[in-house]
């Protein structure tokens, strides 16, 4: 018998459906592992803002609610292990809050694994002889140009540390920045006792993780043929059934809505994938050209053919730096000449800000509904036919007071702007700090992940 | 194909599905043909230059592409197309999520004799 391990994803990003993890676990009672992905490229900078306000924060607090919801499952002696990057900037704080929630629920004896060591901010600020690797790989600029404004710098570490925590008996593993697919690779390593140099199998598991890391995007979400989905209300979160060979099936709970099809899997396979024959993960290089997807039954797609090679000597780093302030506000303009009225209203707002003494560094006017979401590319309707548009005004500037002033100039359009101006119920535009994204590399030798086990007493 | 052959105009969305997202200030668009015949046609027709030209108003600085014959799919990466990307761009579509749907609106000129095999 070819045993398989069933790994689900119940959270595709920070802000995904709060009920999804428990719903998935209940709909798929034989699930072995639940992965929860909370981190996108700039999530850590949002967490940095929260941590500045309260040093106990800096992680995805939603996960503590998920932990509480799952305790009823664990108390029924169900074997279910959770792997999550909810730790964000503060994995220790997250793991401790998780232990506290489990203790309160009476889950004595459960173990929470904690993976740290992904924070490389000190190296990024002062890279010394490694400065070349910390250059922005998009622009080539040296990191010294933003060193004094850096807020976070985290290496995407791999599955090895997560696997170590699972081997040490962790029921829940909390990490910071671990590469998204590695959350899925680690359980496979442990269940099948794969070697860390068994690159073909690791490559297969990496693709499995890549396919489920965005939750319902593989099971019908954002599908081109989305309008044809069955039961999108109960859109199923994805499950992979990985075999010891690394071959796997992508599926979803039988009772759930949505669709896992060749098209849904291929769309998600290519999602945020670079245009080359290789996908780079910290666990292996995945050679993509021989990957095949085969429909084995309704909502069951088999994936095979990924080949692996040894990983590079570097970890990818996502660093973020302070880059001024921004705000966006929207008004709806209804009636004849809606596009012209909206544009003029936008120009008036920016001219008022200028007369108040602020030449904003960057401004942007969009007439949404008139093709401005992909400006100059989408076909525009005849302006005569457009009797309502959403005017979206945006600005950014290094000076907070300049952006504050802009945010205050939008509302006056409700009484001083074009007729048919409406939709201001959301209130004044919120001024937010901007965090620039700085992708770079760090030599593996500089990063030492640490695994700890916290036991619920 | 000869210039006298009769052609049928259709949207790319009739022939393919697509999905897009961001990587820094670049965006990739995966295009999956709906039929094997559509793939054979599109891998020649939907050239990187054509995709780059279509998105020119957004100011891309270059394009990379890769063809996946086993998937019947192409992957295009439009470099620098997101005006700073995720956190810096002032556009509503800062993450390029709309680019795939925009690409599916491109007009494709298909030889009339091929139409049945492309869309079935």
């Amino acid at each position: 018998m070819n045993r398989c391990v069933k790994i689900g994803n119940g959270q595709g990003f920070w802000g995904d459906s709060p009920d999804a993890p428990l719903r998935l676990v209940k709909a798929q009672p034989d699930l072995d592992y639940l992965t929860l992905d909370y981190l996108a490229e700039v999530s850590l900078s949002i967490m940095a803002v929260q941590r500045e306000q309260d040093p106990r924060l800096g992680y995805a607090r939603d996960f503590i609610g998920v932990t509480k919801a799952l305790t009823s499952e664990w108390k029924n002696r169900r074997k279910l292990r959770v792997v999550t990057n909810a730790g964000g900037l503060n994995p220790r704080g997250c793991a401790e809050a998780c232990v506290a929630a489990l203790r309160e629920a009476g889950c004595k004896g459960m173990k929470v694994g904690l993976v740290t060591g992904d924070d490389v901010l000190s190296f990024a600020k002062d890279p010394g002889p490694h400065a070349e690797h910390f250059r922005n790989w998009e622009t080539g600029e040296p990191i010294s140009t933003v060193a004094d404004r850096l807020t976070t710098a985290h290496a995407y570490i791999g599955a090895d540390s997560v696997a170590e925590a699972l081997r040490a008996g962790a029921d829940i593993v909390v990490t910071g920045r671990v590469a998204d697919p590695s959350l899925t690779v680690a359980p496979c390593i442990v269940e099948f006792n794969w070697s860390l140099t068994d690159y073909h199998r690791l490559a297969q598991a990496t693709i499995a993780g890549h396919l489920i890391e965005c939750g319902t995007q593989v099971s019908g979400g954002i599908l081109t043929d989305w309008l044809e989905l069955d039961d999108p209300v109960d859109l199923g979160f994805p499950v992979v059934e990985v075999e010891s060979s690394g071959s796997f099936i992508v599926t979803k709970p039988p009772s759930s809505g949505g669709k896992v099809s060749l098209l849904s899997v291929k769309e998600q396979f290519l999602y945020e994938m670079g245009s080359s024959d290789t996908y780079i993960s910290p666990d292996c290089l995945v050679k993509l050209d021989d990957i095949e997807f085969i429909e084995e039954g309704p909502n069951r797609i088999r994936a095979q053919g990924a080949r692996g090679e040894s990983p590079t000597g570097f970890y990818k780093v996502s660093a973020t730096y302070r880059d001024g302030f921004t705000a966006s506000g929207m008004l709806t303009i209804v009636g004849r000449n809606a596009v012209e009225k909206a544009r003029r209203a936008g120009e008036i707002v920016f001219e008022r800000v200028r007369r108040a003494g602020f030449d904003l560094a960057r401004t942007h006017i969009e007439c949404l509904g008139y093709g401005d979401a992909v400006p100059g590319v989408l076909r525009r309707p005849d302006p005569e036919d457009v009797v309502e548009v959403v005017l979206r005004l945006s600005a950014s500037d290094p000076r907070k007071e300049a952006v504050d002033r802009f945010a205050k100039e939008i509302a006056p359009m409700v009484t001083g702007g074009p007729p048919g101006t409406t939709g201001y119920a959301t209130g004044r535009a919120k001024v937010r700090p901007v965090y620039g994204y700085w992708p770079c590399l760090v030599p593996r030798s500089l990063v030492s992940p640490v695994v700890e086990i916290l036991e619920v007493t | 194909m000869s210039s006298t052959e009769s052609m049928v105009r259709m949207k790319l969305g009739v022939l393919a599905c697509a999905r897009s997202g961001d990587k820094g200030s670049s965006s990739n668009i995966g295009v999956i043909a709906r039929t094997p015949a559509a793939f054979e046609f599109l891998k020649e027709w939907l050239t990187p230059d054509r995709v780059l030209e279509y998105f020119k108003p957004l100011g891309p600085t270059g394009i990379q592409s890769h063809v996946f014959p086993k998937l019947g799919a192409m992957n295009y990466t439009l470099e620098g197309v997101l005006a700073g990307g995720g956190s810096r761009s002032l556009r509503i579509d800062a993450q390029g999520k709309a680019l795939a749907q925009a690409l599916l609106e491109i007009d494709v000129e298909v030889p009339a004799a091929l139409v049945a095999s492309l869309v079935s």
Side-chain angles (χ1 to χ4, degrees), chain B residues 11-36:
Chain B
K11 297 291 182 193
L12 178 61
V14 177
L15 305 175
C17 299
R19 180 169 298 193
S20 57
D22 65 323
K23 276 282 180 207
S25 60
S26 300
S27 173
N28 87 296
I29 310 176
V31 177
I32 302 118
R34 290 182 184 272
T35 67

Side-chain angles (χ1 to χ4, degrees), chain A residues 326-328 403 407 427-432:
Chain A
T326 190
S328 287
V403 182
R428 185 172 284 169
K430 198 177 161 206
V431 177
R432 315 177 270 115

